[in-house]
Coordinates of all heavy atoms in Angstrom, one line a residue:
L1 N 6.9 16.5 3.4 CA 7.0 17.6 4.4 C 5.7 17.8 5.1 O 5.7 18.1 6.3 CB 7.5 18.9 3.7 CG 7.7 20.0 4.6 CD1 8.9 19.8 5.5 CD2 8.0 21.3 3.8
A2 N 4.6 17.7 4.4 CA 3.3 17.9 5.0 C 3.0 16.9 6.0 O 2.2 17.1 6.9 CB 2.2 18.0 3.9
F3 N 3.5 15.7 5.8 CA 3.2 14.6 6.8 C 4.1 14.7 8.0 O 3.7 14.4 9.1 CB 3.4 13.2 6.1 CG 3.2 12.1 7.0 CD1 1.9 11.8 7.5 CD2 4.2 11.2 7.4 CE1 1.7 10.7 8.3 CE2 4.0 10.2 8.2 CZ 2.7 9.9 8.6
S4 N 5.3 15.2 7.8 CA 6.3 15.2 8.9 C 6.0 16.2 10.0 O 6.3 16.0 11.1 CB 7.7 15.4 8.4 OG 7.8 16.6 7.7
V5 N 5.4 17.3 9.6 CA 5.1 18.4 10.6 C 4.1 18.0 11.6 O 4.3 18.1 12.8 CB 4.7 19.7 9.8 CG1 4.2 20.7 10.8 CG2 5.8 20.2 9.0
P6 N 2.9 17.4 11.2 CA 2.0 16.9 12.2 C 2.6 15.8 13.1 O 2.3 15.7 14.3 CB 0.8 16.4 11.5 CG 0.9 17.0 10.1 CD 2.3 17.3 9.9
V7 N 3.4 14.9 12.5 CA 4.0 13.8 13.3 C 4.9 14.4 14.3 O 4.9 14.0 15.5 CB 4.8 12.9 12.3 CG1 5.7 11.9 13.1 CG2 3.8 12.1 11.5
F8 N 5.7 15.4 14.0 CA 6.6 16.0 14.9 C 5.9 16.8 16.0 O 6.2 16.7 17.2 CB 7.6 17.0 14.2 CG 8.5 17.7 15.1 CD1 9.6 17.0 15.7 CD2 8.3 19.0 15.5 CE1 10.5 17.6 16.5 CE2 9.2 19.7 16.3 CZ 10.3 19.0 16.9
K9 N 4.8 17.4 15.7 CA 4.0 18.2 16.7 C 3.2 17.2 17.7 O 3.0 17.6 18.8 CB 3.0 19.1 16.0 CG 3.6 20.3 15.4 CD 2.6 21.2 14.8 CE 3.2 22.4 14.1 NZ 2.2 23.2 13.5
N10 N 2.9 16.0 17.2 CA 2.1 15.1 18.0 C 2.9 14.0 18.6 O 2.4 12.9 18.9 CB 1.0 14.5 17.2 CG 0.0 15.6 16.8 OD1 -0.4 16.4 17.7 ND2 -0.4 15.6 15.6
G11 N 4.2 14.2 18.8 CA 4.9 13.1 19.5 C 6.0 12.5 18.7 O 6.9 11.8 19.3
G12 N 6.0 12.7 17.4 CA 7.1 12.2 16.6 C 7.3 10.7 16.6 O 6.6 9.9 16.0
G13 N 8.3 10.2 17.4 CA 8.7 8.8 17.5 C 7.6 7.9 18.0 O 7.5 6.8 17.7
A14 N 6.8 8.5 18.9 CA 5.7 7.7 19.5 C 4.7 7.3 18.4 O 4.0 6.2 18.6 CB 5.0 8.5 20.6
F15 N 4.6 8.0 17.4 CA 3.7 7.6 16.3 C 4.5 6.9 15.2 O 4.1 5.9 14.6 CB 3.0 8.8 15.7 CG 2.4 8.5 14.3 CD1 1.2 7.9 14.3 CD2 2.9 8.9 13.2 CE1 0.6 7.6 13.1 CE2 2.3 8.7 11.9 CZ 1.2 8.0 11.9
L16 N 5.7 7.4 14.9 CA 6.5 6.9 13.8 C 7.0 5.5 14.0 O 7.0 4.7 13.0 CB 7.7 7.8 13.5 CG 8.2 7.9 12.1 CD1 7.1 8.2 11.2 CD2 9.3 9.0 12.0
F17 N 7.3 5.1 15.2 CA 7.8 3.8 15.5 C 6.8 2.7 15.2 O 7.0 1.8 14.5 CB 8.4 3.7 16.9 CG 9.0 2.4 17.3 CD1 10.2 2.0 16.7 CD2 8.3 1.5 18.1 CE1 10.7 0.8 17.0 CE2 8.9 0.3 18.5 CZ 10.1 -0.1 17.9
P18 N 5.5 2.8 15.8 CA 4.5 1.8 15.4 C 4.1 1.8 14.0 O 3.8 0.8 13.4 CB 3.3 2.2 16.3 CG 3.8 3.1 17.3 CD 5.1 3.7 16.8
Y19 N 4.2 3.0 13.3 CA 3.8 3.1 11.9 C 4.8 2.3 11.1 O 4.4 1.5 10.2 CB 3.8 4.6 11.5 CG 3.6 4.8 10.0 CD1 2.3 4.7 9.5 CD2 4.6 5.1 9.1 CE1 2.0 4.9 8.2 CE2 4.4 5.3 7.8 CZ 3.1 5.2 7.3 OH 2.8 5.3 6.0
I20 N 6.1 2.4 11.4 CA 7.1 1.7 10.6 C 7.0 0.2 10.9 O 7.1 -0.6 10.0 CB 8.5 2.2 11.0 CG1 8.7 3.6 10.4 CG2 9.6 1.3 10.4 CD1 9.9 4.4 10.8
I21 N 6.8 -0.2 12.1 CA 6.6 -1.6 12.5 C 5.4 -2.2 11.7 O 5.5 -3.3 11.2 CB 6.4 -1.7 14.0 CG1 7.7 -1.3 14.7 CG2 6.0 -3.2 14.4 CD1 8.9 -2.2 14.4
C22 N 4.3 -1.5 11.7 CA 3.1 -2.0 11.0 C 3.4 -2.1 9.5 O 2.9 -3.0 8.8 CB 1.9 -1.1 11.2 SG 1.2 -1.3 12.9
C23 N 4.1 -1.1 8.9 CA 4.4 -1.2 7.5 C 5.3 -2.4 7.2 O 5.1 -3.1 6.2 CB 5.2 0.1 7.0 SG 4.1 1.5 6.8
L24 N 6.2 -2.7 8.1 CA 7.1 -3.9 7.9 C 6.4 -5.2 8.1 O 6.6 -6.1 7.4 CB 8.3 -3.8 8.8 CG 9.3 -2.6 8.5 CD1 10.4 -2.6 9.5 CD2 9.9 -2.8 7.1
V25 N 5.5 -5.2 9.1 CA 4.9 -6.5 9.5 C 3.7 -6.8 8.6 O 3.5 -7.9 8.3 CB 4.5 -6.4 11.0 CG1 3.6 -7.6 11.4 CG2 5.7 -6.4 11.9
I26 N 3.0 -5.8 8.2 CA 1.7 -6.0 7.4 C 1.9 -5.6 6.0 O 1.6 -6.4 5.1 CB 0.6 -5.2 8.0 CG1 0.3 -5.6 9.4 CG2 -0.7 -5.3 7.1 CD1 -0.7 -4.7 10.2
G27 N 2.5 -4.5 5.7 CA 2.5 -4.0 4.3 C 3.5 -4.7 3.4 O 3.2 -5.1 2.3
F28 N 4.7 -4.9 3.9 CA 5.7 -5.6 3.1 C 5.4 -7.0 2.7 O 5.5 -7.4 1.6 CB 7.1 -5.5 3.7 CG 8.2 -5.9 2.9 CD1 8.5 -5.1 1.7 CD2 9.0 -7.0 3.1 CE1 9.6 -5.5 0.9 CE2 10.0 -7.3 2.3 CZ 10.3 -6.6 1.2
P29 N 4.9 -7.9 3.7 CA 4.5 -9.2 3.3 C 3.3 -9.2 2.4 O 3.3 -10.1 1.4 CB 4.2 -9.9 4.6 CG 4.9 -9.1 5.7 CD 5.0 -7.7 5.1
L30 N 2.4 -8.4 2.6 CA 1.2 -8.3 1.6 C 1.7 -7.9 0.2 O 1.2 -8.5 -0.8 CB 0.1 -7.3 2.2 CG -1.2 -7.3 1.4 CD1 -1.8 -8.7 1.4 CD2 -2.1 -6.3 2.0
F31 N 2.6 -7.0 0.2 CA 3.1 -6.6 -1.1 C 3.8 -7.8 -1.8 O 3.6 -8.0 -3.0 CB 4.1 -5.4 -1.0 CG 4.9 -5.1 -2.2 CD1 4.3 -4.5 -3.3 CD2 6.3 -5.4 -2.2 CE1 5.1 -4.2 -4.4 CE2 7.0 -5.1 -3.3 CZ 6.4 -4.5 -4.4
L32 N 4.7 -8.5 -1.1 CA 5.4 -9.6 -1.7 C 4.4 -10.7 -2.1 O 4.6 -11.4 -3.1 CB 6.4 -10.2 -0.7 CG 7.6 -9.3 -0.4 CD1 8.5 -9.9 0.6 CD2 8.4 -9.1 -1.7
I33 N 3.4 -11.0 -1.3 CA 2.4 -12.0 -1.6 C 1.7 -11.6 -2.9 O 1.5 -12.4 -3.8 CB 1.4 -12.2 -0.5 CG1 2.1 -13.0 0.7 CG2 0.2 -13.0 -1.0 CD1 1.2 -13.0 1.9
E34 N 1.3 -10.4 -3.0 CA 0.5 -9.9 -4.2 C 1.4 -10.0 -5.4 O 1.0 -10.3 -6.5 CB 0.0 -8.5 -4.0 CG -0.9 -8.0 -5.1 CD -1.6 -6.7 -4.8 OE1 -1.7 -6.4 -3.6 OE2 -2.1 -6.1 -5.7
L35 N 2.7 -9.6 -5.2 CA 3.6 -9.6 -6.4 C 3.9 -11.0 -6.9 O 3.8 -11.2 -8.1 CB 4.9 -8.9 -5.9 CG 5.9 -8.4 -7.0 CD1 5.3 -7.3 -7.7 CD2 7.2 -8.0 -6.3
S36 N 4.2 -11.9 -5.9 CA 4.5 -13.3 -6.4 C 3.2 -14.0 -6.9 O 3.3 -14.7 -7.9 CB 5.1 -14.1 -5.2 OG 4.2 -14.1 -4.1
L37 N 2.1 -13.8 -6.3 CA 0.9 -14.4 -6.8 C 0.5 -13.9 -8.2 O 0.0 -14.6 -9.1 CB -0.3 -14.3 -5.8 CG -0.2 -15.1 -4.6 CD1 -1.4 -14.8 -3.7 CD2 -0.3 -16.6 -5.0
G38 N 0.7 -12.6 -8.4 CA 0.4 -12.0 -9.7 C 1.3 -12.5 -10.8 O 0.9 -12.7 -11.9
Q39 N 2.6 -12.6 -10.4 CA 3.5 -13.2 -11.4 C 3.2 -14.6 -11.7 O 3.3 -15.0 -12.9 CB 4.9 -13.1 -10.8 CG 6.1 -13.5 -11.7 CD 6.3 -12.6 -12.8 OE1 6.1 -11.4 -12.7 NE2 6.9 -13.1 -13.9
F40 N 2.8 -15.4 -10.7 CA 2.5 -16.8 -10.9 C 1.3 -17.0 -11.7 O 1.2 -17.8 -12.6 CB 2.4 -17.5 -9.6 CG 2.1 -19.0 -9.7 CD1 3.0 -19.9 -10.1 CD2 0.8 -19.4 -9.4 CE1 2.7 -21.2 -10.2 CE2 0.5 -20.7 -9.4 CZ 1.4 -21.7 -9.9
S41 N 0.2 -16.2 -11.4 CA -1.1 -16.4 -12.1 C -1.3 -15.6 -13.4 O -2.2 -15.9 -14.1 CB -2.2 -16.1 -11.1 OG -2.2 -14.7 -10.9
A42 N -0.4 -14.6 -13.6 CA -0.6 -13.7 -14.8 C -1.9 -13.0 -14.8 O -2.5 -12.9 -15.9 CB -0.3 -14.5 -16.1
M43 N -2.4 -12.6 -13.7 CA -3.7 -11.9 -13.6 C -3.5 -10.6 -12.9 O -2.5 -10.4 -12.2 CB -4.7 -12.7 -12.7 CG -5.2 -14.0 -13.3 SD -6.5 -14.6 -12.3 CE -6.2 -16.3 -12.4
G44 N -4.4 -9.7 -13.0 CA -4.4 -8.4 -12.3 C -4.8 -8.7 -10.9 O -5.3 -9.7 -10.5
P45 N -4.7 -7.7 -10.0 CA -5.0 -7.8 -8.6 C -6.5 -8.1 -8.3 O -6.8 -9.0 -7.4 CB -4.5 -6.5 -7.9 CG -4.3 -5.6 -9.0 CD -4.1 -6.4 -10.3
A46 N -7.4 -7.5 -9.0 CA -8.8 -7.7 -8.7 C -9.2 -9.2 -9.1 O -9.9 -9.8 -8.3 CB -9.6 -6.8 -9.5
H47 N -8.7 -9.7 -10.2 CA -9.1 -11.0 -10.6 C -8.3 -12.1 -9.8 O -8.9 -13.1 -9.4 CB -8.8 -11.3 -12.1 CG -9.6 -10.5 -13.0 ND1 -10.9 -11.0 -13.4 CD2 -9.5 -9.3 -13.7 CE1 -11.5 -10.1 -14.2 NE2 -10.6 -9.1 -14.4
L48 N -7.1 -11.7 -9.4 CA -6.3 -12.7 -8.7 C -6.9 -13.0 -7.3 O -7.1 -14.1 -6.9 CB -4.9 -12.1 -8.4 CG -4.0 -12.8 -7.4 CD1 -3.6 -14.2 -7.9 CD2 -2.8 -12.0 -7.1
W49 N -7.2 -11.9 -6.5 CA -7.8 -12.1 -5.2 C -9.2 -12.7 -5.3 O -9.6 -13.5 -4.4 CB -7.8 -10.8 -4.4 CG -6.4 -10.4 -4.0 CD1 -5.6 -9.4 -4.6 CD2 -5.6 -11.0 -3.0 NE1 -4.4 -9.3 -4.0 CE2 -4.4 -10.3 -3.0 CE3 -5.8 -12.0 -2.1 CZ2 -3.4 -10.6 -2.1 CZ3 -4.8 -12.3 -1.2 CH2 -3.6 -11.6 -1.2
A50 N -10.0 -12.4 -6.3 CA -11.3 -12.9 -6.4 C -11.2 -14.4 -6.8 O -12.1 -15.2 -6.3 CB -12.1 -12.2 -7.5
N51 N -10.3 -14.8 -7.6 CA -10.1 -16.3 -7.9 C -9.5 -17.0 -6.7 O -9.7 -18.2 -6.6 CB -9.3 -16.4 -9.1 CG -10.0 -16.1 -10.4 OD1 -11.2 -16.0 -10.4 ND2 -9.3 -15.8 -11.5
L52 N -8.7 -16.4 -5.9 CA -8.1 -17.0 -4.8 C -9.2 -17.4 -3.8 O -9.2 -18.5 -3.3 CB -7.0 -16.1 -4.2 CG -6.1 -16.7 -3.1 CD1 -5.3 -17.8 -3.8 CD2 -5.2 -15.6 -2.6
S53 N -10.0 -16.5 -3.4 CA -11.1 -16.7 -2.5 C -12.1 -15.6 -2.7 O -11.7 -14.4 -2.7 CB -10.7 -16.8 -1.1 OG -11.8 -16.8 -0.2
P54 N -13.4 -15.8 -2.8 CA -14.4 -14.8 -2.9 C -14.4 -13.8 -1.8 O -14.7 -12.6 -1.9 CB -15.7 -15.5 -3.0 CG -15.4 -16.8 -3.5 CD -14.1 -17.2 -2.9
L55 N -13.9 -14.2 -0.6 CA -13.8 -13.3 0.6 C -12.7 -12.3 0.4 O -12.8 -11.2 1.0 CB -13.5 -14.1 1.8 CG -14.6 -15.1 2.3 CD1 -14.0 -15.9 3.5 CD2 -15.8 -14.3 2.8
F56 N -11.7 -12.6 -0.5 CA -10.6 -11.6 -0.7 C -10.8 -10.7 -1.9 O -9.9 -10.0 -2.2 CB -9.3 -12.4 -0.9 CG -8.9 -13.2 0.3 CD1 -8.2 -14.4 0.2 CD2 -9.1 -12.7 1.6 CE1 -7.8 -15.1 1.3 CE2 -8.7 -13.4 2.7 CZ -8.0 -14.6 2.6
K57 N -12.0 -10.7 -2.5 CA -12.3 -9.9 -3.6 C -12.0 -8.4 -3.3 O -11.5 -7.6 -4.1 CB -13.7 -10.1 -4.1 CG -14.0 -9.3 -5.4 CD -15.4 -9.7 -5.9 CE -15.6 -9.0 -7.2 NZ -16.9 -9.3 -7.7
G58 N -12.4 -8.0 -2.1 CA -12.3 -6.6 -1.7 C -10.8 -6.2 -1.6 O -10.5 -5.0 -1.8
V59 N -9.9 -7.1 -1.3 CA -8.5 -6.8 -1.2 C -8.0 -6.4 -2.6 O -7.3 -5.4 -2.7 CB -7.6 -8.0 -0.7 CG1 -6.2 -7.7 -0.8 CG2 -8.1 -8.3 0.7
G60 N -8.4 -7.1 -3.6 CA -8.0 -6.7 -5.0 C -8.6 -5.4 -5.5 O -7.9 -4.6 -6.1
I61 N -9.8 -5.2 -5.1 CA -10.5 -3.9 -5.5 C -9.8 -2.8 -4.8 O -9.6 -1.7 -5.4 CB -12.0 -4.0 -5.3 CG1 -12.6 -5.1 -6.2 CG2 -12.6 -2.7 -5.5 CD1 -14.0 -5.4 -5.9
A62 N -9.6 -2.9 -3.5 CA -8.9 -1.9 -2.7 C -7.5 -1.6 -3.2 O -7.1 -0.4 -3.3 CB -8.8 -2.3 -1.3
S63 N -6.8 -2.6 -3.7 CA -5.5 -2.4 -4.3 C -5.5 -1.6 -5.6 O -4.7 -0.7 -5.8 CB -4.9 -3.8 -4.6 OG -3.6 -3.7 -5.2
V64 N -6.5 -1.9 -6.4 CA -6.7 -1.1 -7.6 C -7.0 0.3 -7.4 O -6.5 1.2 -8.0 CB -7.7 -1.8 -8.6 CG1 -8.1 -0.9 -9.7 CG2 -7.2 -3.2 -9.0
I65 N -8.0 0.5 -6.4 CA -8.4 1.9 -6.1 C -7.3 2.7 -5.5 O -7.0 3.8 -5.8 CB -9.6 1.8 -5.1 CG1 -10.8 1.3 -5.9 CG2 -9.9 3.2 -4.5 CD1 -12.1 1.1 -5.1
S66 N -6.5 2.1 -4.5 CA -5.4 2.8 -3.9 C -4.3 3.1 -4.9 O -3.7 4.2 -4.9 CB -4.8 2.0 -2.8 OG -4.2 0.8 -3.2
S67 N -4.1 2.2 -5.9 CA -3.1 2.5 -6.9 C -3.6 3.7 -7.8 O -2.7 4.5 -8.2 CB -2.8 1.3 -7.8 OG -2.3 0.3 -7.1
A68 N -4.8 3.7 -8.1 CA -5.4 4.8 -8.9 C -5.3 6.1 -8.2 O -4.9 7.2 -8.8 CB -6.8 4.5 -9.3
I69 N -5.6 6.1 -6.9 CA -5.5 7.4 -6.1 C -4.0 7.9 -6.0 O -3.7 9.0 -6.2 CB -6.0 7.1 -4.7 CG1 -7.6 7.0 -4.8 CG2 -5.7 8.3 -3.7 CD1 -8.2 6.6 -3.5
V70 N -3.1 7.0 -5.8 CA -1.7 7.3 -5.7 C -1.2 7.8 -7.1 O -0.5 8.8 -7.1 CB -0.8 6.2 -5.2 CG1 0.7 6.4 -5.4 CG2 -1.1 5.9 -3.8
G71 N -1.6 7.2 -8.1 CA -1.3 7.6 -9.5 C -1.8 9.0 -9.8 O -1.2 9.8 -10.6
K72 N -3.0 9.3 -9.3 CA -3.7 10.5 -9.7 C -3.1 11.7 -8.9 O -2.8 12.8 -9.5 CB -5.2 10.4 -9.3 CG -6.0 11.7 -9.4 CD -6.2 12.1 -10.8 CE -7.0 13.4 -10.8 NZ -6.8 14.2 -12.0
W73 N -2.8 11.5 -7.6 CA -2.4 12.7 -6.8 C -0.9 12.8 -6.5 O -0.5 13.7 -5.9 CB -3.2 12.7 -5.5 CG -4.5 13.3 -5.8 CD1 -4.8 14.6 -6.1 CD2 -5.8 12.6 -5.8 NE1 -6.2 14.8 -6.2 CE2 -6.8 13.6 -6.1 CE3 -6.2 11.3 -5.5 CZ2 -8.1 13.3 -6.1 CZ3 -7.5 11.0 -5.6 CH2 -8.5 12.0 -5.9
S74 N -0.1 11.8 -6.8 CA 1.3 11.9 -6.6 C 2.0 12.6 -7.7 O 1.5 12.6 -8.9 CB 1.9 10.5 -6.4 OG 1.9 9.8 -7.6
P75 N 3.0 13.4 -7.4 CA 3.7 14.2 -8.4 C 4.4 13.2 -9.4 O 4.9 12.2 -9.1 CB 4.7 15.0 -7.7 CG 4.8 14.5 -6.4 CD 3.6 13.6 -6.1
S76 N 4.3 13.6 -10.7 CA 4.9 12.8 -11.7 C 6.4 13.1 -11.9 O 7.1 12.3 -12.5 CB 4.2 13.0 -13.0 OG 4.2 14.3 -13.4
T77 N 6.9 14.3 -11.5 CA 8.3 14.6 -11.6 C 8.7 15.2 -10.3 O 8.0 15.7 -9.5 CB 8.5 15.7 -12.7 OG1 7.8 16.9 -12.3 CG2 7.9 15.3 -14.1
P78 N 10.1 15.0 -10.1 CA 10.6 15.5 -8.8 C 10.4 17.1 -8.6 O 10.4 17.6 -7.5 CB 12.1 15.2 -8.8 CG 12.1 14.1 -9.8 CD 11.0 14.3 -10.8
A79 N 10.3 17.8 -9.7 CA 10.1 19.2 -9.6 C 8.8 19.7 -9.1 O 8.6 20.8 -8.6 CB 10.3 19.9 -11.0
E80 N 7.8 18.7 -9.0 CA 6.5 19.1 -8.5 C 6.4 18.9 -7.0 O 5.3 19.2 -6.5 CB 5.4 18.2 -9.2 CG 5.3 18.5 -10.7 CD 4.3 17.6 -11.4 OE1 3.5 17.0 -10.6 OE2 4.3 17.5 -12.6
F81 N 7.4 18.5 -6.4 CA 7.3 18.3 -4.9 C 7.2 19.6 -4.2 O 7.7 20.5 -4.2 CB 8.5 17.5 -4.4 CG 8.4 16.1 -4.5 CD1 9.3 15.4 -5.3 CD2 7.4 15.4 -3.9 CE1 9.2 14.0 -5.4 CE2 7.3 14.0 -4.0 CZ 8.2 13.3 -4.8

């Protein structure tokens, strides 16, 4: 609800349409790649991306940090919404 109010006030679909497209074009393939590579290599995200290429080490660290942030601040039960 807190996200939808500013989106509606600032144009709604003009923001939401590119956001959904970017999530589908960038987010979903990256999720599938990380999921399949993690399953294949049996490593965590930080080690997986670092072993794949030293340039991608930041992707694994960012994935771990973002998961920690979402886990910390997202509600654990539906009653907390």
Side-chain angles (χ1 to χ4, degrees):
L1 184 65
F3 179 68
S4 60
V5 173
V7 168
F8 179 73
K9 287 182 180 178
N10 294 314
F15 167 76
L16 209 52
F17 184 69
Y19 178 77
I20 291 171
I21 295 296
C22 286
C23 284
L24 292 175
V25 171
I26 298 170
F28 192 65
L30 187 60
F31 169 73
L32 288 178
I33 288 170
E34 186 172 340
L35 198 67
S36 60
L37 286 175
Q39 182 73 24
F40 177 73
S41 68
M43 291 186 218
H47 292 279
L48 168 70
W49 289 104
N51 286 342
L52 192 61
S53 173
L55 292 173
F56 294 146
K57 185 176 182 180
V59 174
I61 293 171
S63 176
V64 171
I65 290 171
S66 65
S67 295
I69 290 171
V70 169
K72 172 72 176 154
W73 280 290
S74 66
S76 58
T77 63
E80 293 179 16
F81 278 117

